[in-house]
Amino acid sequence: MTVDRLAVVSGGGTGIGRAIAARLAGDGHRVVILGRRAAVLEEAREEIERAAGPGRVVPVAADLTDPAAVGAAAARITGLGPVDVLVNNAGAIVTPPADGSLAALAASWRRDLDGNLLTAVLLTTALQDGLRRPGGRLVVISSAAAQRGGAGPHSAGSYAAAKAALHGWAFGLARQLGPDGITVNVLAPGYIEETEIFGAGWSEEFHARKVADTLVGRAGTPADVAEAVGYLASPAAGYLTGQVIGLNGGAVLGR
């Protein structure tokens, strides 16, 4: 298969991001995976290329909350050619306040906003001029917490608020980039197993409650998310833009 399309996946070293990168590489893209941990990215590259073939994955280590680091990463990426697909998947797990003070609360919210909102804004802005016109695909990974509110240690208010902010931002981008033939969509997963947010530390009771929330009687997987992104990133999805698409097994009904 000839590789003639370039995809970028933030948070591409683990979980959902790695599954998305593997799917896009399997579809024939050359995939840039971004994350903070170089060793994790290298491990992901090796795993994906065992299935997709050598030269399909370019790992780029960068802290996407740092404007200078994002600028340097973007310069390297745009040197590879026009970006056909940009998947903003990077996110951070909730960081509870260190104590009960307002200062600690503010610091916690800023961390969560930086990790879940600013990462997407900075990377997209840095790459925006390099998106393919026409035909570019921008996919933003949000969360069901943005649609129904967050509660508890896995999706506190700051996490839900940051993810919800992605929606309004993405709608504006869809309006701005639509005339250039670029689509912008939000994918909002629900309970997805095998991720750093929902990992081995959660109890069987927690798992059972999350599954019981669904209509299909199971948790989602990173592969479920990757399949949805595969369509949104494809040339076939050229008439779908400005939408928030729930991927939650029916735990949150469309509205």
Side-chain angles (χ1 to χ4, degrees):
M1 183 184 297
T2 301
V3 179
D4 58 2
R5 286 172 61 83
L6 179 65
V8 177
V9 181
S10 67
T14 61
I16 290 171
R18 184 183 291 200
I20 292 169
R23 167 60 194 267
L24 294 176
D27 286 345
H29 296 79
R30 191 178 188 191
V31 184
V32 177
I33 54 174
L34 292 153
R36 291 173 297 166
R37 298 169 290 182
V40 171
L41 294 175
E42 181 59 24
E43 179 184 323
R45 181 196 66 76
E46 292 176 356
E47 177 185 286
I48 294 168
E49 289 189 348
R50 280 197 292 270
R56 291 291 177 85
V57 180
V58 179
V60 177
D63 178 354
L64 298 182
T65 67
D66 179 348
V70 173
R76 182 174 175 189
I77 292 166
T78 54
L80 301 174
V83 175
D84 295 277
V85 181
L86 172 56
V87 183
N88 282 298
N89 168 73
I93 60 175
V94 171
T95 51
D99 55 47
S101 70
L102 289 177
L105 180 64
S108 175
W109 271 70
R110 288 189 180 106
R111 285 193 298 269
D112 291 339
L113 290 168
D114 281 355
N116 293 289
L117 173 61
L118 191 63
T119 51
V121 173
L122 290 178
L123 183 61
T124 301
T125 302
L127 293 177
Q128 187 167 310
D129 289 344
L131 295 174
R132 187 177 293 280
R133 290 166 167 78
R137 300 284 181 265
L138 177 55
V139 182
V140 179
I141 306 299
S142 174
S143 169
Q147 298 169 303
R148 64 182 180 186
H154 61 284
S155 58
S158 54
Y159 177 85
K163 292 298 189 182
L166 289 170
H167 297 191
W169 170 70
F171 295 157
L173 281 177
R175 292 181 181 278
Q176 178 184 349
L177 298 176
D180 291 336
I182 298 171
T183 65
V184 182
N185 290 289
V186 177
L187 189 63
Y191 176 45
I192 306 296
E193 292 184 304
E194 303 167 13
T195 67
E196 291 186 337
I197 290 179
F198 296 118
W202 301 104
S203 68
E204 286 298 320
E205 291 77 13
F206 172 85
H207 171 79
R209 287 198 306 273
K210 300 302 286 186
V211 169
D213 279 346
T214 73
L215 303 181
V216 297
R218 70 171 178 88
T221 67
D224 289 321
V225 183
E227 288 297 316
V229 172
Y231 171 69
L232 293 174
S234 73
Y239 198 57
L240 178 62
T241 194
Q243 304 302 310
V244 175
I245 300 163
L247 185 71
N248 54 57
V252 180
L253 298 179
R255 53 184 181 271

